[in-house]
Amino acid sequence: MLKDILSNIPALIIAIPMFFAPVVAMIPSTSKFMRVIIWQVVNLCIGLMLAGATYLFIIVYQTGPFSYFFGAWSPPVGIEYEATKLNTLLMLLISIVAFVLLPYARSSVETEIKHKKTGLFYAVFLLLVAGLMGMVITNDIFNIYVFLEISSLATYALVAMGPDRRALTASFNYLIVGTIGGTLFLAGIGFLYILTGSLNISDISYQLGLTPHNKVEVAAVSFLFIGLAIKCAIVPLAGWLPRAYQYAPGFVTAFIAAVSTKVALYLLAKVFYVLFGKDLALGEYAFESILVVLAVISIFYGGIAACMQTDFKRVLAFSSISNIGYIVLGIGIGSRAAVTAGVLLFVAHAFAKAGLFVVAGISKNNVRGLRDASPLLAGFLVLFGLSIIGVPLTFGFIPKWYLLLAASGLNGWIQVVSFIGIIGGSLLSIVYVWRLVELAYTASGREPIKIGYYSTSTLVTLAILTIYFGASGSPIAGYVSELAGEFAK
Amino acid sequence: MMETQVQIIIAIILPIFAAAGINLLGPWKNLREIWQVICAIGQIAIIYTIYAGHNAAENYKATLFDILPGIDIGFKVEALGLVYAGIASVLWLVSVIYSAGYMRFKNDAHQTRFFIYFALTIAAATGLAFSCNLITMFIFYEMITLLTYPLVVHDATPEAKRAGRVYLGYLLGASMLFLLPAIAGIYYLTGSMDFKSSGLYFMPDVNPWTITGVYLLFLFGTAKAALMPMHRWLPTAMVAPAPVSGLLHAVAVVKAGVFVIGKVTIYIFGADNIEIGYSLKELILFIVAITILFAGIFALRESSIKRRLAYSTIVNLAIIILAFAMLSKAGNMAAAAHMVSHAMGKITLFFISGALMLTLGINYVKECNGMARKSPMLFICFLICSLSIIGLPYFAGGYSKELLLMASREEGLRWILYLLYASMLLSIGYLLPISYRAFLRPLPANAEAVKKGGKLMKLAILIGTALTLCYPLYERFITAMLEKVVI
């Protein structure tokens, strides 16, 4: 029995939230007691997923990557799930972030979501997590599209549930743009299917190597890239992001800002490195220069826009665009150090940005005079802000350091542009973080904010993770560097 | 006998411990001040113990964190660091006495907060002094910036906030823009970031222009050293209370800047070992010389005493950098000596300017007319310290400038002699008129009466003047300490 469960964990990790979602939706949420029950059930579900992700991570760490055939149908006919070093790390990240944010969800959902919709809210949230997990674990490109749609639809619904009425237009805007992105991605899959007659990524990659390169391939990679660029929020396709982050409920913003775009970025890297191969995609199709230029534009656009915002959450949202630019830069450069930087930034940025959005949520999106209202909250603002800047001894420093190393190893104009991007982005991040800190510490005379124990535990955990990995990053950096070497061959 | 590693950690933790105590003792002012004095004396004692037990042969490293392979936060004792930590600890004691007097005289509302950040800055300065690699140095360098920011904006006026923004913008901006890339460049060129007594090994095929470029990045990246055009934050930060100006412009901040440059010159580029050729070295020296001349000329135009002193600081910092940039043993020696002598003279001058502002209401040079008759002690001390800063023989500043001249002769750089003469003439021009007006001009008829009080301030000023005046008595001790700098 136990052996059967353990051997089917790659499937169960998707099946568990899909099973729990309707269960949660069916529990009536009229009384406070029932809402706590719902929250407990969601905790149980995410806890099981965390256990599963940890198990997969350990197995891969000990014995190396393995494949799982759905229903024992072997590819290219059946659907293949694979557990590699990179995607188990990402699954672990998604489930940790979800698990750590849930305590905060308790108060956030209670105050921001209509009580009778609590069950539905959590059901949609579980579907979102299932979709993200599915996109990461599957090795079948059509399956990726299915999970992409599941997670996108869930995100539209969650954003629309925001307490402000403008959440509806933000969600609708995101829905239109996101659907276009999904459609373009699907078109790219269609081209690949025409070329190879297969949907399994490893199989497509193998078959592409057999035939001479042609225009259809270029069309396919372009469609996939633009479709994913919308999901990743790479400038100029990032217009949906600030409003969606601003008006979504606090808990949703913290979660999607931490992991949603990261999963899309992972897919982008997978399309370039695994599906087409690094030499072909980055070299022959010139995506190295395209990605580096777009990345630097994203870094500057996000940073400059963040410096000009007056709304707390919008500053953080534009800062996300800037940080996405850093990750795209890592993917675009494509050396081992660069990919290490990108993957480490997945993790570092997830912790810091989730923490900042929790601070924004608790402070009612108002940073002015935060020190008077709650010195603890202001302290967390400074800590996570320092990690976003990339100050040594916080986690944010480590990816920046690897990016600088990666840029040192480049040649020609790409090196110059990368250096300008990395350093310029850091300077801009100092400005926008400092604006927040200055507002929090200089304005005075604000009513005290009471933070519950649950929300505090979320913030403390994120802070401990940020400081721990910042102070002793050697183990994680070593592991990521190893997997980056395998991933970006 | 404690191990050196433990002593270093204690030296860094003691001021933090002091800050915690200040926080607890906040409501009881006298207890708080006694506690600070005890901690400052303890700090001097622990630095002296480290100095006494220091043996260059067995240089242990205390590692705190292991951030990444090859990047760790660790501490090590070396001679230049000892000099810097020594200056910081001695002047902390003097500053505490002075600040206690100053803050009470002003009846300031946030005294405890002020003293807490003061103590924490000393902790960061000590960490900087003993840092064993570039990344540790960088962290503590940034910490000093962040910890002194609340001190600069202490008065919370719009002007102070604006100055605070300029302060952060210059210091953080330059360090991110130039210092961090310079560190990454060193790591890329040599594969290491550790301070080694003979400098790091550069591949023979590295272009001398590249090395010069990285060195210039260091010079401009440490904006705390206020090399033009990175100097503007310093006069602007003059809105801070006088004890802070003393701390910023004599000890923690600006000396941190030149200390970083010195440490990098000696232990990364390896003063004697690096070969960049004569003309490139002269190029660097010329860039520094521009600051020495122009900051001196700018100082003449300033009418506010504090701003004039700030420009004088910029001149003297550039002189220290000039000595380091000679890339010779004698140059390092002269630079370290000038760090000590300038610190003592300048902190006292700032103390006096604060006391003048509070007791006599003097902010500008023209207000000094005849004031020596009202407060002879302050102006006599001011004259003595001015003479030391100018570099008159037998004063502290005279000794260090003499060392500098000898070093330049050794290197065959004759023009530095004339440069120094010019800067001394300029410094006579901007410092002595204050004393001239105070002693020789008549007192205006409507002069206000002297406000009573501020005994502690005067005590600190006397100690500072005595340290400057008695330099010949302990010159041998300092020289012995400095000789260890030259490994």
Side-chain angles (χ1 to χ4, degrees):
Chain A
M1 176 66 189
L2 183 67
K3 208 173 162 222
D4 286 340
I5 292 178
L6 289 183
S7 62
N8 284 313
I9 281 197
L12 284 174
I13 210 163
I14 315 296
I16 290 171
M18 294 212 165
F19 167 76
F20 271 92
V23 173
V24 168
M26 278 186 284
I27 305 177
S29 56
T30 41
S31 71
K32 171 126 200 211
F33 177 73
M34 293 310 285
R35 289 196 292 277
V36 173
I37 295 283
I38 291 176
W39 180 73
Q40 298 286 17
V41 173
V42 175
N43 260 320
L44 173 71
C45 173
I46 300 287
L48 285 174
M49 292 176 77
L50 178 59
T54 315
Y55 175 78
L56 287 179
F57 182 79
I58 291 171
I59 291 289
V60 170
Y61 184 76
Q62 284 175 343
T63 63
F66 67 92
S67 288
Y68 173 85
F69 302 146
F70 226 96
W73 288 85
S74 62
V77 178
I79 291 171
E80 179 196 6
Y81 280 14
E82 59 166 7
T84 62
K85 282 183 175 169
L86 178 55
N87 73 11
T88 48
L89 182 75
L90 266 179
M91 285 194 284
L92 193 62
L93 175 71
I94 295 170
S95 44
I96 286 179
V97 170
F99 194 71
V100 168
L101 283 176
L102 269 179
Y104 165 61
R106 196 173 140 137
S107 64
S108 163
V109 171
E110 190 69 22
T111 50
E112 291 176 61
I113 307 289
K114 283 186 190 128
H115 288 167
K116 66 174 185 193
K117 285 192 178 163
T118 305
L120 286 171
F121 175 84
Y122 279 120
V124 179
F125 169 68
L126 287 181
L127 288 177
L128 169 62
V129 181
L132 294 176
M133 287 287 206
M135 279 197 274
V136 174
I137 197 172
T138 183
N139 197 31
D140 183 288
I141 197 158
F142 191 76
N143 210 224
I144 290 183
Y145 171 71
V146 172
F147 283 120
L148 185 79
E149 282 303 303
I150 293 179
S151 70
S152 302
L153 289 172
T155 312
Y156 308 144
L158 289 173
V159 171
M161 282 188 189
D164 194 307
R165 279 177 56 181
R166 281 169 289 184
L168 292 173
T169 50
S171 170
F172 187 69
N173 185 15
Y174 182 23
L175 184 140
I176 300 289
V177 179
T179 310
I180 293 172
T183 313
L184 293 176
F185 188 73
L186 187 63
I189 295 175
F191 280 119
L192 285 177
Y193 191 67
I194 293 169
L195 271 178
T196 61
S198 173
L199 290 170
N200 183 284
I201 290 181
S202 316
D203 191 35
I204 297 175
S205 172
Y206 171 71
Q207 296 210 26
L208 285 179
L210 296 180
T211 52
H213 307 313
N214 50 45
K215 292 274 167 64
V216 186
E217 236 176 81
V218 181
V221 74
S222 311
F223 273 110
L224 290 177
F225 170 64
I226 294 178
L228 285 173
I230 291 178
K231 293 287 169 189
C232 300
I234 300 173
V235 174
L237 302 172
W240 58 269
L241 186 142
R243 275 207 282 173
Y245 281 16
Q246 188 183 3
Y247 295 118
F251 164 64
V252 174
T253 309
F255 183 74
I256 60 178
V259 294
S260 273
T261 44
K262 309 291 187 306
V263 171
L265 285 160
Y266 162 73
L267 292 181
L268 191 69
K270 192 165 177 173
V271 164
F272 285 143
Y273 293 156
V274 182
L275 192 63
F276 288 92
K278 197 166 95 177
D279 295 334
L280 183 62
L282 296 187
E284 201 167 316
Y285 297 152
F287 269 99
E288 180 176 13
S289 11
I290 295 175
L291 284 179
V292 168
V293 169
L294 287 181
V296 173
I297 292 175
S298 291
I299 292 172
F300 275 101
Y301 171 78
I304 293 170
C307 295
M308 298 192 302
Q309 300 305 314
T310 48
D311 186 284
F312 189 6
K313 278 190 180 173
R314 277 181 84 84
V315 174
L316 301 180
F318 280 106
S319 146
S320 278
I321 293 179
S322 181
N323 276 283
I324 288 163
Y326 277 114
I327 299 176
V328 175
L329 187 64
I331 296 173
I333 294 173
S335 63
R336 182 172 175 166
V339 176
T340 309
V343 175
L344 285 170
L345 200 53
F346 280 174
V347 189
H349 180 252
F351 293 153
K353 200 42 78 60
L356 282 173
F357 271 114
V358 171
V359 171
I362 295 176
S363 66
K364 300 270 183 297
N365 198 15
N366 182 3
V367 72
R368 198 174 289 274
L370 195 59
R371 189 198 37 189
D372 279 3
S374 165
L376 188 68
L377 219 49
F380 282 123
L381 173 75
V382 173
L383 173 70
F384 295 127
L386 290 178
S387 184
I388 291 287
I389 296 175
V391 176
L393 283 185
T394 60
F395 200 177
F397 165 72
I398 295 174
K400 291 252 167 100
W401 177 253
Y402 274 99
L403 259 187
L404 277 176
L405 285 188
S408 305
L410 290 171
N411 290 312
W413 66 269
I414 289 193
Q415 182 179 34
V416 178
V417 172
S418 310
F419 266 123
I420 292 174
I422 297 168
I423 293 163
S426 294
L427 288 176
L428 288 169
S429 68
I430 295 176
V431 176
Y432 61 73
V433 168
W434 197 261
R435 279 184 64 218
L436 294 176
V437 172
E438 202 184 59
L439 273 178
Y441 276 83
T442 52
S444 59
R446 187 168 162 195
E447 293 291 305
I449 298 174
K450 205 167 167 296
I451 322 172
Y453 289 115
Y454 287 98
S455 307
T456 315
S457 73
T458 295
L459 285 169
V460 168
T461 317
L462 289 170
I464 288 173
L465 288 169
T466 301
I467 294 173
Y468 173 76
F469 287 121
S472 67
S474 292
I476 188 171
Y479 184 70
V480 171
S481 168
E482 194 183 308
L483 72 83
E486 292 167 18
F487 184 69
K489 280 191 288 288
Chain B
M1 190 64 202
M2 278 184 291
E3 287 178 50
T4 315
Q5 290 103 310
V6 183
Q7 288 170 349
I8 301 174
I9 303 291
I10 292 178
I12 296 166
I13 297 210
L14 184 72
I16 300 176
F17 185 61
I22 295 166
N23 195 17
L24 286 177
L25 297 171
W28 303 282
K29 282 189 186 174
N30 290 335
L31 269 182
R32 182 187 69 195
E33 259 71 291
I34 291 169
W35 164 251
Q36 290 192 74
V37 170
I38 293 172
C39 286
I41 291 173
Q43 182 76 358
I44 296 173
I46 190 86
I47 301 284
Y48 183 79
T49 329
I50 295 175
Y51 165 70
H54 172 53
N55 183 352
E58 35 185 312
N59 219 338
Y60 293 116
K61 193 172 131 185
T63 306
L64 268 194
F65 301 109
D66 192 15
I67 298 188
L68 283 175
I71 305 179
D72 48 9
I73 306 290
F75 305 101
K76 201 165 71 178
V77 180
E78 42 72 31
L80 191 65
L82 268 176
V83 174
Y84 176 66
I87 302 175
S89 61
V90 171
L91 295 185
W92 184 30
L93 178 66
V94 184
S95 301
V96 162
I97 298 172
Y98 178 79
S99 321
Y102 183 90
M103 286 289 161
R104 283 164 190 226
F105 196 94
K106 245 179 93 181
N107 210 357
D108 195 277
H110 300 288
Q111 299 187 14
T112 306
R113 184 180 82 194
F114 177 86
F115 285 120
I116 288 174
Y117 281 112
F118 216 102
L120 289 178
T121 308
I122 299 296
T126 315
L128 180 77
F130 294 124
S131 55
C132 78
N133 55 30
L134 286 172
I135 213 76
T136 313
M137 183 194 85
F138 182 75
I139 291 173
F140 282 99
Y141 178 86
E142 297 293 357
M143 264 189 199
I144 293 178
T145 310
L146 295 176
L147 289 171
T148 45
Y149 169 79
L151 295 171
V152 174
V153 297
H154 182 76
D155 289 340
T157 54
E159 201 192 356
K161 281 183 191 166
R162 200 182 57 80
R165 226 169 276 156
V166 172
Y167 183 72
L168 275 189
Y170 267 82
L171 295 188
L172 284 182
S175 69
M176 287 285 167
L177 210 57
F178 304 128
L179 190 56
L180 201 56
I183 292 173
I186 287 290
Y187 189 69
Y188 187 70
L189 288 176
T190 66
S192 170
M193 295 200 293
D194 289 341
F195 294 122
K196 296 260 168 58
S197 53
S198 54
L200 292 173
Y201 179 71
F202 288 86
M203 289 288 177
D205 59 345
V206 176
N207 190 338
W209 277 97
T210 315
I211 298 178
T212 312
V214 175
Y215 191 73
L216 285 176
L217 278 182
F218 272 111
L219 287 191
F220 290 112
T222 41
K224 288 197 172 81
L227 204 62
M228 279 182 183
M230 294 295 169
H231 69 287
R232 211 174 66 84
W233 64 270
L234 214 156
T236 315
M238 281 301 125
V239 295
V244 177
S245 302
L247 178 87
L248 293 181
H249 300 94
V251 196
V253 177
V254 292
K255 287 295 180 293
V258 287
F259 171 70
V260 162
I261 290 174
K263 205 154 171 162
V264 165
T265 312
I266 299 175
Y267 301 112
I268 294 288
F269 290 89
D272 258 2
N273 304 321
I274 196 80
E275 272 307 323
I276 57 169
Y278 195 78
S279 49
L280 281 178
K281 191 161 87 179
E282 265 202 321
L283 173 77
I284 297 173
L285 292 174
F286 271 129
I287 291 173
V288 181
I290 290 171
T291 304
I292 298 181
L293 281 183
F294 277 83
I297 294 167
F298 288 162
L300 288 173
R301 301 189 317 176
E302 291 294 341
S303 55
S304 147
I305 296 180
K306 276 179 93 180
R307 286 181 67 93
R308 199 174 264 206
L309 291 178
Y311 274 106
S312 150
T313 307
I314 296 172
V315 173
N316 282 286
L317 294 173
I319 290 177
I320 298 171
I321 300 172
L322 185 81
F324 278 127
M326 282 181 201
L327 300 176
S328 71
K329 289 180 179 180
N332 295 339
M333 182 89 173
H338 200 65
M339 254 167 82
V340 179
S341 69
H342 173 253
M344 290 182 310
K346 194 48 73 61
I347 198 170
T348 317
L349 284 180
F350 274 110
F351 286 170
I352 297 169
S353 78
L356 288 178
M357 193 182 80
L358 285 188
T359 57
L360 295 166
I362 296 177
N363 283 317
Y364 293 94
V365 177
K366 62 175 188 288
E367 295 168 345
C368 290
N369 287 356
M371 283 296 179
R373 258 146 275 180
K374 294 210 159 197
S375 180
M377 179 223 131
L378 286 182
F379 279 100
I380 290 170
C381 290
F382 196 94
L383 180 62
I384 292 170
C385 291
S386 305
L387 293 177
S388 167
I389 295 288
I390 291 166
L392 219 63
Y394 294 101
F395 287 93
Y399 279 94
S400 50
K401 285 202 176 156
E402 192 186 324
L403 285 176
L404 181 63
L405 283 182
M406 291 196 311
S408 67
R409 187 166 309 155
E410 215 174 84
E411 288 291 303
L413 298 156
R414 292 293 293 275
W415 57 272
I416 286 184
L417 176 74
Y418 304 113
L419 177 74
L420 279 185
Y421 282 154
S423 105
M424 278 163 86
L425 276 177
L426 282 169
S427 61
I428 289 172
Y430 56 75
L431 282 175
L432 285 190
I434 299 171
S435 299
Y436 165 77
R437 277 167 185 271
F439 285 105
L440 301 177
R441 288 274 183 90
L443 194 65
N446 58 349
E448 289 170 26
V450 186
K451 287 187 195 142
K452 289 278 173 226
K455 285 210 179 88
L456 283 175
M457 279 197 281
K458 283 179 184 155
L459 175 65
I461 290 167
L462 281 178
I463 296 176
T465 315
L467 281 175
T468 313
L469 204 57
C470 302
Y471 192 79
L473 296 180
Y474 58 90
E475 186 234 340
R476 189 165 296 179
F477 174 75
I478 300 269
T479 321
M481 200 161 166
L482 293 182
E483 250 150 26
K484 286 189 182 175
V485 173
V486 195
I487 301 166

